[in-house]
Amino acid sequence: MMPTIKDVAEKAGVGIATVSRAMNGTGYVSARSREKIETAIRELHYIPNERARNLSRKQTGIIGVLIPDFQTPFYASFLRQVEMELYNYGYRTMVCNTVKHSDREAAYVEMLDRNMLDGLITCAWSAEAEVYRHMDKPIVSMDHNLGEGIPLIHSDHKTGGRIAAEHLLEKGCKRVLQLGDYFPVYTPSNDRYREFHRIMDEAGVEVRQLDLEWNRLDYEYYEKYLSEHLRDVKWSDAVFASDMGAIACYRFATERGIQVPDHMKIMAYDGTDFTRMMMPVMTAVRQDITKLASSCADTVVRLVQRKEPVRMHRIIDVEFQKGGTT
Amino acid sequence: MMPTIKDVAEKAGVGIATVSRAMNGTGYVSARSREKIETAIRELHYIPNERARNLSRKQTGIIGVLIPDFQTPFYASFLRQVEMELYNYGYRTMVCNTVKHSDREAAYVEMLDRNMLDGLITCAWSAEAEVYRHMDKPIVSMDHNLGEGIPLIHSDHKTGGRIAAEHLLEKGCKRVLQLGDYFPVYTPSNDRYREFHRIMDEAGVEVRQLDLEWNRLDYEYYEKYLSEHLRDVKWSDAVFASDMGAIACYRFATERGIQVPDHMKIMAYDGTDFTRMMMPVMTAVRQDITKLASSCADTVVRLVQRKEPVRMHRIIDVEFQKGGTT
């Protein structure tokens, strides 16, 4: 007689609900119970019955969205747009703040693999692209190339880097401090740094790179970090940083009597709403978050609904935001 | 013979998957198909079979979180904390940006009712509390009293209002402009306004209320609105507003030569990270977002796991944030 879920539960010494949660990967199951359940399933040669499997295979109407940190202005705004787009397509949004934990990222990819999600939009960059490889599932990646078969959507960061470099050159900057997160592996968002560097090199302008943590929201962090690198700050006549880094630099410099923009020009990258709430408005390279979000939502939905064609690579224009910090 | 889902699909002239999506409320189903399916179900006296219903009754490990707008700093930060807490409890977070659409809020309450969610944390205030009434499901509400049986968690807004009022009185303010969103129905967050008004009245200080939209992120909006009420702005010697409103007022006043804090004191409410990124730092009443989030997560999980006791009303302390705008 074929073993049932009840037999598995008995053998594992746990409740049926726990076995079901473990099999469906939903809800909390302790590592120990999970192990006992897996052993029981192996020993009993238990096969989850067909109807259950079919039911679990049906579409859930849920799209997962992996965000490095949804408190940061860029992603908070992106998430807001994506959720509204997906909602209008009739899908719910399940979010995960990966905060650089690759295990969390992997957990969501696994949920996708188990059909608990219909699709995934990932802006995360913690996990090895390997996690995504060889997965024949609807995945869309923003900013990070996850390899063959996974649509990639990102801003035209190369042009963004060029706009920033040319603007600072126009303003006569000679010693530029670049604050940011340059990814060890290649990813399109690195192009803004590469292109920025390339153009500055050509113009014979020195660029010093400080590896500030990206888009932190606590000024104490910036204050401490910039104080430790005060020599570099004083050396430079221009700064190129992400929105929060640029806002923090503005405050750090001004508090020390370094006048912006007279003695120091500050150029922000992302150009989120906050750069326009500031006084003065930050000069910035502005990413089109609305278009990035709608492209990601549209693409993942096309994949889920098997609509052709699906563009495998989409580059969204960036624009220059005139401000008072350069 | 009992009708099957196949019969319903045939009668309605749609696919079985569509019927299943319609019944489970997952994925997109056009209004027209939905109507045809509902008619077919009625006419065939179709009863979804027991196993399917039981399977759909199992816990999903998903908690829904309803947020008025997760781009605003307070909620972006709250959502980040809640998601991390829930993740650590072994639950996934499904988010909905209600943007004041009560229908979206109702849709999530319905998902909860259909056991597609194990629980719900709602910070939304668009729907009638009626939507939540008589629901014997794990629901936790932040800031809004949804009635008997639904745990309520909120900051000590009454003390918040008092701190703001007493600080502005100490600073000698005589004519206060209050910008904000006073809810037509009673909700604990109104207490900050009520208490603020009460103390100001006692002190014989006039308070004018401008109903600014809450926490907008586009300065253009504030600029337009405040320009239309320039007489009130010029009349006042103090402003009490939410973080973004306070930041916008600071810029609006300063750009017009009204010096802050000499000629105008500005007091922010929420005290999110951005008020500390500013220069000067905004004087503010600070809500403890981390504690609000962990209380909401802890409470909803206790309800889902039927752990006693569950506190039905929790009030989280607020604190004064010293800044340079008063």
Side-chain angles (χ1 to χ4, degrees):
Chain A
M1 192 189 126
M2 262 194 47
T4 66
I5 188 167
K6 195 156 166 300
D7 304 319
V8 175
E10 272 164 18
K11 194 171 180 63
V14 299
I16 290 176
T18 313
V19 177
S20 152
R21 279 210 301 284
M23 290 193 308
N24 293 287
T26 58
Y28 174 74
V29 179
S30 74
R32 208 157 147 281
S33 310
R34 196 177 290 281
E35 205 189 309
K36 282 192 274 168
I37 290 162
E38 277 157 9
T39 316
I41 286 174
R42 269 198 310 279
E43 290 176 8
L44 292 167
H45 306 293
Y46 170 73
I47 300 153
N49 82 43
E50 199 50 39
R51 144 164 260 122
R53 250 207 261 95
N54 289 342
L55 274 164
S56 79
R57 272 217 195 89
K58 78 164 161 43
Q59 294 208 343
T60 58
I62 303 171
I63 305 291
V65 182
L66 298 177
I67 301 277
D69 184 345
F70 37 75
Q71 185 183 14
T72 59
F74 177 83
Y75 286 113
S77 172
F78 175 82
L79 181 57
R80 176 181 196 258
Q81 297 296 330
V82 161
E83 190 274 343
M84 289 199 278
E85 295 275 348
L86 290 175
Y87 191 94
N88 294 334
Y89 279 118
Y91 290 88
R92 308 293 189 222
T93 300
M94 187 177 294
V95 289
C96 178
N97 197 91
T98 57
V99 288
K100 298 187 183 177
H101 298 317
S102 54
D103 58 328
R104 300 172 124 234
E105 199 172 338
Y108 274 73
V109 175
E110 197 192 345
M111 285 172 75
L112 180 63
D113 197 33
R114 292 183 181 201
N115 303 296
M116 295 163 53
L117 299 173
D118 293 347
L120 198 61
I121 295 172
T122 178
C123 312
W125 36 271
S126 49
E128 310 287 320
E130 296 313 319
V131 179
Y132 299 96
R133 288 267 162 75
H134 320 302
M135 267 199 77
D136 183 20
K137 298 276 182 179
I139 300 176
V140 172
S141 173
M142 186 172 80
D143 263 351
H144 305 281
N145 190 343
L146 300 181
E148 280 301 308
I150 296 179
L152 171 63
I153 292 164
H154 60 83
S155 289
D156 186 350
H157 295 295
K158 185 174 179 185
T159 300
R162 182 173 56 70
I163 290 172
E166 289 175 350
H167 178 72
L168 291 179
L169 287 175
E170 236 175 68
K171 294 289 184 174
C173 301
K174 297 260 170 294
R175 300 174 303 281
V176 181
L177 206 58
Q178 182 174 275
L179 312 178
D181 52 331
Y182 191 93
F183 296 107
V185 294
Y186 171 71
T187 154
S189 56
N190 281 353
D191 285 342
R192 88 188 203 212
Y193 301 111
R194 298 174 164 223
E195 186 67 359
F196 184 86
H197 269 276
R198 193 186 62 72
I199 293 171
M200 289 307 195
D201 288 347
E202 271 182 17
V205 167
E206 190 182 345
V207 177
R208 288 189 189 170
Q209 166 92 20
L210 291 185
D211 293 322
L212 215 64
E213 262 182 70
W214 155 92
N215 257 341
R216 288 279 295 261
L217 295 176
D218 48 330
Y219 182 68
E220 296 66 24
Y221 165 77
Y222 291 104
E223 170 128 57
K224 184 170 176 303
Y225 186 92
L226 293 170
S227 300
E228 288 163 2
H229 299 79
L230 194 55
R231 183 174 292 124
D232 296 313
V233 174
K234 287 186 163 161
W235 162 85
S236 67
D237 62 5
V239 171
F240 181 38
S242 70
D243 286 358
M244 290 301 117
I247 290 168
C249 274
Y250 175 80
R251 175 169 160 192
F252 184 84
T254 310
E255 283 177 345
R256 281 154 186 77
I258 303 171
Q259 279 170 25
V260 178
D262 299 356
H263 304 128
M264 178 185 277
K265 315 264 185 274
I266 300 181
M267 181 90 188
Y269 198 90
D270 282 354
T272 50
D273 297 324
F274 294 95
T275 61
R276 289 178 293 283
M277 290 288 294
M278 297 297 104
M279 188 185 66
V281 169
M282 309 293 299
T283 307
V285 172
R286 188 171 174 180
Q287 295 197 61
D288 187 339
I289 295 176
T290 307
K291 200 168 283 176
L292 287 165
S294 59
S295 303
C296 288
D298 171 73
T299 305
V300 80
V301 168
R302 292 184 79 81
L303 289 171
V304 170
Q305 298 176 352
R306 299 194 168 67
K307 284 192 188 141
E308 300 294 342
V310 171
R311 282 174 62 180
M312 295 307 289
H313 188 192
R314 197 177 298 189
I315 301 177
I316 309 299
D317 290 344
V318 296
E319 63 179 29
F320 176 71
Q321 171 175 298
K322 199 175 176 317
T325 57
T326 57
Chain B
M1 193 187 125
M2 263 196 41
T4 67
I5 187 167
K6 196 157 162 303
D7 304 320
V8 173
E10 273 166 14
K11 194 171 181 61
V14 300
I16 290 174
T18 313
V19 177
S20 150
R21 279 209 302 284
M23 290 192 310
N24 293 287
T26 59
Y28 174 75
V29 178
S30 73
R32 209 156 148 282
S33 309
R34 194 175 292 280
E35 206 189 309
K36 282 191 274 165
I37 291 162
E38 278 157 8
T39 315
I41 287 175
R42 269 198 309 280
E43 290 176 8
L44 294 168
H45 305 293
Y46 170 71
I47 301 152
N49 82 42
E50 199 49 42
R51 146 165 255 120
R53 251 208 259 94
N54 287 341
L55 273 163
S56 80
R57 273 215 196 89
K58 78 167 159 41
Q59 292 207 344
T60 57
I62 303 171
I63 305 290
V65 181
L66 297 177
I67 301 276
D69 185 344
F70 36 76
Q71 185 182 14
T72 60
F74 177 82
Y75 285 113
S77 173
F78 175 82
L79 181 57
R80 176 180 196 259
Q81 297 296 331
V82 161
E83 189 275 342
M84 290 199 278
E85 296 275 347
L86 290 175
Y87 192 94
N88 293 335
Y89 279 117
Y91 290 88
R92 309 293 189 224
T93 300
M94 188 177 295
V95 289
C96 178
N97 196 92
T98 56
V99 287
K100 300 185 182 177
H101 297 317
S102 53
D103 59 327
R104 300 172 124 234
E105 200 172 339
Y108 274 73
V109 175
E110 197 192 345
M111 284 171 78
L112 180 64
D113 198 34
R114 292 183 182 202
N115 302 294
M116 295 163 55
L117 300 172
D118 293 347
L120 198 61
I121 294 172
T122 177
C123 312
W125 35 272
S126 48
E128 309 287 318
E130 296 313 319
V131 179
Y132 299 94
R133 289 268 164 75
H134 320 302
M135 268 199 78
D136 183 21
K137 298 276 182 176
I139 301 177
V140 172
S141 173
M142 186 171 82
D143 264 350
H144 305 281
N145 191 342
L146 300 182
E148 280 300 309
I150 297 179
L152 170 64
I153 293 164
H154 61 83
S155 289
D156 186 350
H157 295 295
K158 186 175 179 184
T159 301
R162 182 173 56 69
I163 290 172
E166 288 173 351
H167 178 72
L168 291 178
L169 287 175
E170 236 175 69
K171 294 291 184 172
C173 301
K174 297 264 171 289
R175 298 174 304 281
V176 181
L177 206 58
Q178 182 174 275
L179 312 178
D181 51 332
Y182 191 92
F183 297 108
V185 296
Y186 171 72
T187 155
S189 56
N190 281 354
D191 285 342
R192 88 189 205 212
Y193 300 110
R194 296 171 165 229
E195 186 67 356
F196 185 85
H197 269 277
R198 194 187 61 73
I199 293 172
M200 289 307 194
D201 287 349
E202 272 181 19
V205 167
E206 188 182 346
V207 177
R208 288 188 190 173
Q209 166 93 18
L210 292 186
D211 292 321
L212 214 63
E213 261 181 69
W214 153 94
N215 258 340
R216 287 279 296 261
L217 295 176
D218 48 331
Y219 182 68
E220 296 65 24
Y221 165 77
Y222 292 102
E223 168 127 60
K224 185 172 175 304
Y225 186 92
L226 294 171
S227 300
E228 286 163 2
H229 299 79
L230 194 53
R231 182 174 291 128
D232 297 313
V233 174
K234 288 187 163 160
W235 161 84
S236 68
D237 62 4
V239 171
F240 181 37
S242 70
D243 286 357
M244 290 300 115
I247 289 169
C249 273
Y250 175 80
R251 175 170 161 191
F252 184 84
T254 309
E255 284 177 344
R256 280 153 188 79
I258 302 170
Q259 280 171 26
V260 178
D262 299 356
H263 304 129
M264 179 185 277
K265 315 265 186 268
I266 299 179
M267 181 89 187
Y269 198 93
D270 282 355
T272 51
D273 296 324
F274 294 95
T275 62
R276 290 178 293 282
M277 290 288 294
M278 297 298 103
M279 188 187 68
V281 168
M282 310 291 300
T283 307
V285 172
R286 188 171 171 178
Q287 296 196 62
D288 187 339
I289 295 175
T290 306
K291 201 167 282 176
L292 286 165
S294 59
S295 303
C296 288
D298 171 72
T299 306
V300 79
V301 168
R302 293 184 79 81
L303 288 172
V304 170
Q305 298 176 353
R306 299 195 167 67
K307 286 192 187 140
E308 300 294 341
V310 171
R311 282 174 62 181
M312 295 307 287
H313 189 191
R314 198 176 297 189
I315 300 176
I316 309 298
D317 289 344
V318 296
E319 64 180 30
F320 175 71
Q321 171 175 298
K322 200 174 176 314
T325 57
T326 57

